[in-house]
Amino acid sequence: MKSLVRWSTTVTLVGSTLLATIFSGTVPVLALTEQQIKEKLDPVPVFLITNNKGVPLTRTIPANAQNGQQNAPKKDVSVTDVFMSGQEAQAFVNELRSAKGKDPKMAEMLKSLQVTPVPLGLIYQRLRDAGNKADRPVFAFQPGKQDLEGAMTLLRQSGKNVQQFPSVPVFIVRSPEKGYVSVKRKADNKEMIPLFLSKKDAQGLLEQIKAQVPKADIQVVDIDNVIKTLREKNDAWLSQVAIVPSSDSMQYVVGKQGTAKPAAAPAPKK
């Protein structure tokens, strides 16, 4: 199956500051509401490992293993892994099953595990709703390995000495001189600035527009800075931002469920 991302050949450039800008001072107005941010995240499928009743698999981090972490709680913490790649989530399930040992109860539990796609917007909403509550859910995002390696490679090629990437990488095609590349979707002719969750998909757009924008390249930022920008920066162009899910992840959802729409999110384990 070919990429599910389709752009027209019409390309424009949007002058803008970098998404990775460090913000200071008081921002008078939110660029986007929380609901608008959620709507931008909703089309992105992420993947939880759940049982057949939709209860997510969690792992426990003991309190004594959190020493040195800022604001670390003084008790054990249950963490739910959120995979950006459905294929890697499935590989993790297969690995668990292959190491099940001889415990029949464990084997039965592992047998019930499945990969469940949920909208990234719902994960975001749960985190926002929970705020700083003591029992707030804890999610550990697991970026796709190829995209993580691609992000590190691009940063090192740009001269940055990085040892690890802080979060989920986001890839943006831009002109270093004029700003981010804006394209029109064939479906509705709407102009948008695509922020890719896949380096491969960003590379595809870069190759399409090289003739029109010879100096175009790919900038890497992380999803936390993207969301921070959407919440805090008061620029009209942010309404054009579209977070583009990985075409591989969309294909995984299509193959698993027969539809590209992510399933409803299961209730988090309490």
PDB file of all heavy atoms in Angstrom, residues 6 184-190:
ATOM      1  N   ARG A   6      -1.225  12.390   1.021  1.00  0.00           N
ATOM      2  CA  ARG A   6      -1.249  12.895  -0.344  1.00  0.00           C
ATOM      3  C   ARG A   6      -1.268  14.423  -0.329  1.00  0.00           C
ATOM      4  O   ARG A   6      -2.117  15.040   0.304  1.00  0.00           O
ATOM      5  CB  ARG A   6      -2.498  12.375  -1.095  1.00  0.00           C
ATOM      6  CG  ARG A   6      -2.463  10.883  -1.356  1.00  0.00           C
ATOM      7  CD  ARG A   6      -1.440  10.560  -2.463  1.00  0.00           C
ATOM      8  NE  ARG A   6      -1.448   9.143  -2.754  1.00  0.00           N
ATOM      9  CZ  ARG A   6      -0.667   8.258  -2.180  1.00  0.00           C
ATOM     10  NH1 ARG A   6       0.177   8.643  -1.255  1.00  0.00           N
ATOM     11  NH2 ARG A   6      -0.718   6.983  -2.527  1.00  0.00           N
ATOM     12  N   LYS A 184      -1.143  22.266   0.033  1.00  0.00           N
ATOM     13  CA  LYS A 184      -2.591  22.149  -0.046  1.00  0.00           C
ATOM     14  C   LYS A 184      -2.981  20.685  -0.154  1.00  0.00           C
ATOM     15  O   LYS A 184      -2.426  19.951  -0.965  1.00  0.00           O
ATOM     16  CB  LYS A 184      -3.136  22.936  -1.251  1.00  0.00           C
ATOM     17  CG  LYS A 184      -3.060  24.441  -1.076  1.00  0.00           C
ATOM     18  CD  LYS A 184      -3.731  25.171  -2.233  1.00  0.00           C
ATOM     19  CE  LYS A 184      -3.697  26.680  -2.018  1.00  0.00           C
ATOM     20  NZ  LYS A 184      -4.343  27.405  -3.139  1.00  0.00           N
ATOM     21  N   ARG A 185      -3.948  20.294   0.677  1.00  0.00           N
ATOM     22  CA  ARG A 185      -4.428  18.922   0.614  1.00  0.00           C
ATOM     23  C   ARG A 185      -5.297  18.740  -0.606  1.00  0.00           C
ATOM     24  O   ARG A 185      -6.121  19.598  -0.934  1.00  0.00           O
ATOM     25  CB  ARG A 185      -5.237  18.581   1.878  1.00  0.00           C
ATOM     26  CG  ARG A 185      -4.393  18.431   3.110  1.00  0.00           C
ATOM     27  CD  ARG A 185      -5.182  17.895   4.270  1.00  0.00           C
ATOM     28  NE  ARG A 185      -6.333  18.707   4.599  1.00  0.00           N
ATOM     29  CZ  ARG A 185      -6.823  18.827   5.835  1.00  0.00           C
ATOM     30  NH1 ARG A 185      -6.239  18.186   6.828  1.00  0.00           N
ATOM     31  NH2 ARG A 185      -7.867  19.567   6.081  1.00  0.00           N
ATOM     32  N   LYS A 186      -5.129  17.602  -1.273  1.00  0.00           N
ATOM     33  CA  LYS A 186      -5.947  17.340  -2.447  1.00  0.00           C
ATOM     34  C   LYS A 186      -7.411  17.136  -2.075  1.00  0.00           C
ATOM     35  O   LYS A 186      -8.307  17.457  -2.851  1.00  0.00           O
ATOM     36  CB  LYS A 186      -5.423  16.097  -3.166  1.00  0.00           C
ATOM     37  CG  LYS A 186      -4.117  16.333  -3.932  1.00  0.00           C
ATOM     38  CD  LYS A 186      -3.730  15.111  -4.739  1.00  0.00           C
ATOM     39  CE  LYS A 186      -2.487  15.399  -5.570  1.00  0.00           C
ATOM     40  NZ  LYS A 186      -2.075  14.225  -6.377  1.00  0.00           N
ATOM     41  N   ALA A 187      -7.650  16.619  -0.878  1.00  0.00           N
ATOM     42  CA  ALA A 187      -9.025  16.289  -0.491  1.00  0.00           C
ATOM     43  C   ALA A 187      -9.922  17.513  -0.439  1.00  0.00           C
ATOM     44  O   ALA A 187     -11.057  17.480  -0.921  1.00  0.00           O
ATOM     45  CB  ALA A 187      -9.026  15.577   0.861  1.00  0.00           C
ATOM     46  N   ASP A 188      -9.421  18.622   0.143  1.00  0.00           N
ATOM     47  CA  ASP A 188     -10.285  19.792   0.332  1.00  0.00           C
ATOM     48  C   ASP A 188      -9.617  21.106  -0.096  1.00  0.00           C
ATOM     49  O   ASP A 188     -10.170  22.177   0.121  1.00  0.00           O
ATOM     50  CB  ASP A 188     -10.726  19.897   1.798  1.00  0.00           C
ATOM     51  CG  ASP A 188      -9.551  19.912   2.758  1.00  0.00           C
ATOM     52  OD1 ASP A 188      -8.397  20.069   2.300  1.00  0.00           O
ATOM     53  OD2 ASP A 188      -9.775  19.758   3.977  1.00  0.00           O
ATOM     54  N   ASN A 189      -8.414  21.014  -0.683  1.00  0.00           N
ATOM     55  CA  ASN A 189      -7.682  22.191  -1.156  1.00  0.00           C
ATOM     56  C   ASN A 189      -7.343  23.153  -0.016  1.00  0.00           C
ATOM     57  O   ASN A 189      -7.086  24.338  -0.238  1.00  0.00           O
ATOM     58  CB  ASN A 189      -8.476  22.938  -2.239  1.00  0.00           C
ATOM     59  CG  ASN A 189      -7.550  23.710  -3.169  1.00  0.00           C
ATOM     60  OD1 ASN A 189      -6.472  23.239  -3.514  1.00  0.00           O
ATOM     61  ND2 ASN A 189      -7.974  24.896  -3.580  1.00  0.00           N
ATOM     62  N   LYS A 190      -7.322  22.650   1.208  1.00  0.00           N
ATOM     63  CA  LYS A 190      -7.035  23.485   2.368  1.00  0.00           C
ATOM     64  C   LYS A 190      -5.534  23.582   2.574  1.00  0.00           C
ATOM     65  O   LYS A 190      -4.818  22.589   2.550  1.00  0.00           O
ATOM     66  CB  LYS A 190      -7.693  22.887   3.618  1.00  0.00           C
ATOM     67  CG  LYS A 190      -7.519  23.731   4.871  1.00  0.00           C
ATOM     68  CD  LYS A 190      -8.241  23.106   6.043  1.00  0.00           C
ATOM     69  CE  LYS A 190      -8.062  23.944   7.311  1.00  0.00           C
ATOM     70  NZ  LYS A 190      -8.756  23.323   8.472  1.00  0.00           N
TER      71      LYS A 190
END
